[in-house]
Amino acid sequence: MPNFTRISGFILMGFSDIQELQTVCGVFFLVMYLAVLMSNFLIITLITLDLKLQTPMYFFLKNLSLLDIFLVSVPIPNFFFNSLTHNSSISILGCAFQILFMTSFSASETLVLTAMSYDRYVAICCPLYYELIMSSRTCVLIVCVSWATGVFFGTVYTTGTFSMPFCGSNVIPQFFCDVPSLLRISCSETLVVIYTSHGLGLCLGMSCFICVLISYFYILSTVLKIPTSKGQSKAFATCIPHLTVFTIFIATACFVYLKTPSNVPSITDRLLSVLYTVLPPALNPVIYSLRNNDVKCALRRMRQNLCPMGSCHLTLQSICHWYSTSKVAGKFCNF
C-alpha cells in the first residue's frame, strides 16, 4: 500500500508570487468588495424604506442583494488579509466553511433568480390573479425554501467533499477553496458521495434553468400578443434586467465548473473564478438601478427626504447668522 502523507491544511495560490503585486491585488479586491457592499446595501435600504417598492419583485431583489453580499464576503476578505500578510495558508476547517457558505449562497441565489422569473411570468401572463398568487405569504415561503435548500446543498457538498482523505500536494490553484481543486488532490478511490453531490447540484441547476426558459417562453408569447409597441416595451423592460442577471450568473458559473479540468494551474482559471464570485454581485445593483425607473425614483425620493430642497441652504444661513451675531466671521456670511 502506498505511503500517503495526510494533509492538515491547504495553500491558496494567489495571482502572483511577488509580494508587492500581492498587496496591489489585495487592495484592488478590497475596493471592489467595498463597491459591491455599498451598492447592494443601497438597494436593500431603498426597498426596505420606500413604500412604493413593497412588491414581490423587489422583495426577491432585496434577498438577491443580501445573497450577493454574503457570497462575495466569503472569499474576498480572506484573500485581502492573505495578500497583506503574504500568508496563503488555510486550515481544513476554514476551507470547509468556505465551501459550505459559497455553495449555500450560490444555490440559494439560483433559486431566488428562478422565483423572480416565475414572478415575471405571473405578472405578465396572469395579471388579474397576480396579487392572489404572489401574496406576501407565498413570497416569504418561496424565499425561505430557497435559503433552506441552499443550506441543504451546501451541507451535502461540504460533507461529501471532506469525507474523502487528502494527500500529496496541498496547493489549491485558486484564491479560495473550491470542490474541483480539492478533487484533484484527493487520494480516495471511491468518490460516490461527491459524485452524488455533483449530480444533485447539476439537477438543481438544470431544473432552475428549464423553469426560467419555460417562464420566458410564455412571457414572450404573451408579450408578442400585446397590440401596442409601447405595451410590449414596458413588458420587456421589466424582464430584461432579471434575464441579464440570470444569464451572467449562470454563464460565469458554467465557465468555472463545467470546463475541462486541468492538472496544471492556470491564471485563466483564477480569473474566471473572480468573474464568478465578483462580477454578478457587482453588476446586479447596476443593472437594476440604471435600467429601472422605480429604483431611480426611489433613490431620488430618499435623497430629497434626507436633504429636502432648501433645507441645506437654510441650515448654512443659520450657521452663518450665528457667526455674524457673535462677530467671529460676519464678513464671510452675507446672505
Side-chain angles (χ1 to χ4, degrees):
M1 176 179 288
N3 185 18
F4 292 122
T5 302
R6 294 277 179 170
I7 292 177
S8 58
F10 302 102
I11 302 296
L12 300 175
M13 291 184 63
F15 294 91
S16 174
D17 295 331
I18 304 175
Q19 293 188 353
E20 288 77 9
L21 289 180
Q22 290 178 5
T23 304
V24 171
C25 289
V27 173
F28 175 73
F29 272 77
L30 178 63
V31 172
M32 294 180 62
Y33 175 66
L34 293 177
V36 169
L37 289 186
M38 291 175 60
S39 57
N40 281 282
F41 271 126
L42 178 61
I43 293 293
I44 294 173
T45 303
L46 285 176
I47 296 174
T48 303
L49 298 181
D50 198 287
L51 296 178
K52 294 185 178 181
L53 298 182
Q54 304 302 313
T55 62
M57 182 179 72
Y58 293 108
F59 175 72
F60 290 131
L61 177 58
K62 181 168 69 172
N63 280 271
L64 182 67
S65 295
L66 189 61
L67 285 167
D68 283 336
I69 291 174
F70 289 155
L71 180 62
V72 79
S73 296
V74 176
I76 302 303
N78 182 72
F79 174 75
F80 171 71
F81 179 77
N82 290 344
S83 299
L84 293 185
T85 59
H86 309 296
N87 179 18
S88 299
S89 61
I90 185 172
S91 64
I92 292 181
L93 183 61
C95 191
F97 275 116
Q98 278 198 347
I99 291 181
L100 173 64
F101 291 140
M102 292 201 68
T103 306
S104 300
F105 297 143
S106 299
S108 299
E109 185 160 341
T110 304
L111 291 168
V112 170
L113 287 170
T114 305
M116 294 175 74
S117 70
Y118 177 71
D119 172 75
R120 292 298 85 205
Y121 159 76
V122 176
I124 294 175
C125 299
C126 310
L128 298 179
Y129 301 97
Y130 180 73
E131 293 185 1
L132 178 63
I133 297 175
M134 302 302 296
S135 62
S136 300
R137 183 177 180 180
T138 302
C139 293
V140 172
L141 180 62
I142 291 175
V143 168
C144 290
V145 171
S146 300
W147 282 77
T149 305
V151 173
F152 169 75
F153 272 92
T155 304
V156 171
Y157 259 83
T158 307
T159 303
T161 302
F162 287 90
S163 64
M164 307 176 300
F166 300 102
C167 54
S169 175
N170 65 337
V171 177
I172 297 178
Q174 290 288 358
F175 68 97
F176 64 94
C177 290
D178 64 336
V179 176
S181 299
L182 292 174
L183 287 179
R184 296 190 188 102
I185 60 177
S186 171
C187 55
S188 175
E189 297 180 358
T190 57
L191 301 176
V192 178
V193 178
I194 191 62
Y195 284 145
T196 302
S197 303
H198 274 299
L200 292 174
L202 185 61
C203 289
L204 174 67
M206 290 301 298
S207 300
C208 293
F209 182 73
I210 292 173
C211 289
V212 172
L213 284 182
I214 294 175
S215 298
Y216 277 101
F217 172 78
Y218 284 107
I219 288 173
L220 183 62
S221 301
T222 303
V223 170
L224 293 178
K225 295 177 183 178
I226 298 177
T228 62
S229 58
K230 183 178 180 180
Q232 291 180 350
S233 301
K234 184 178 180 180
F236 278 127
T238 63
C239 298
I240 289 177
H242 167 263
L243 190 58
T244 304
V245 169
F246 182 81
T247 303
I248 292 174
F249 184 77
I250 295 297
T252 52
C254 290
F255 273 122
V256 173
Y257 292 106
L258 296 184
K259 65 180 181 61
T260 304
S262 174
N263 294 325
V264 180
S266 172
I267 188 66
T268 305
D269 297 337
R270 278 164 273 173
L271 291 177
L272 290 175
S273 298
V274 172
L275 293 179
Y276 169 66
T277 54
V278 178
L279 187 63
L283 290 182
N284 289 354
V286 176
I287 293 171
Y288 276 103
S289 60
L290 294 183
R291 297 186 60 89
N292 193 304
N293 290 327
D294 292 338
V295 175
K296 289 189 288 186
C297 291
L299 181 61
R300 193 178 302 114
R301 287 192 294 269
M302 187 180 72
R303 187 173 63 246
Q304 291 175 352
N305 291 333
L306 292 177
C307 187
M309 186 176 297
S311 64
C312 295
H313 182 66
L314 291 175
T315 302
L316 183 61
Q317 280 186 330
S318 300
I319 294 175
C320 291
H321 178 71
W322 182 84
Y323 275 115
S324 62
T325 54
S326 61
K327 297 181 181 182
V328 176
K331 64 178 179 179
F332 294 104
C333 300
N334 295 317
F335 286 89

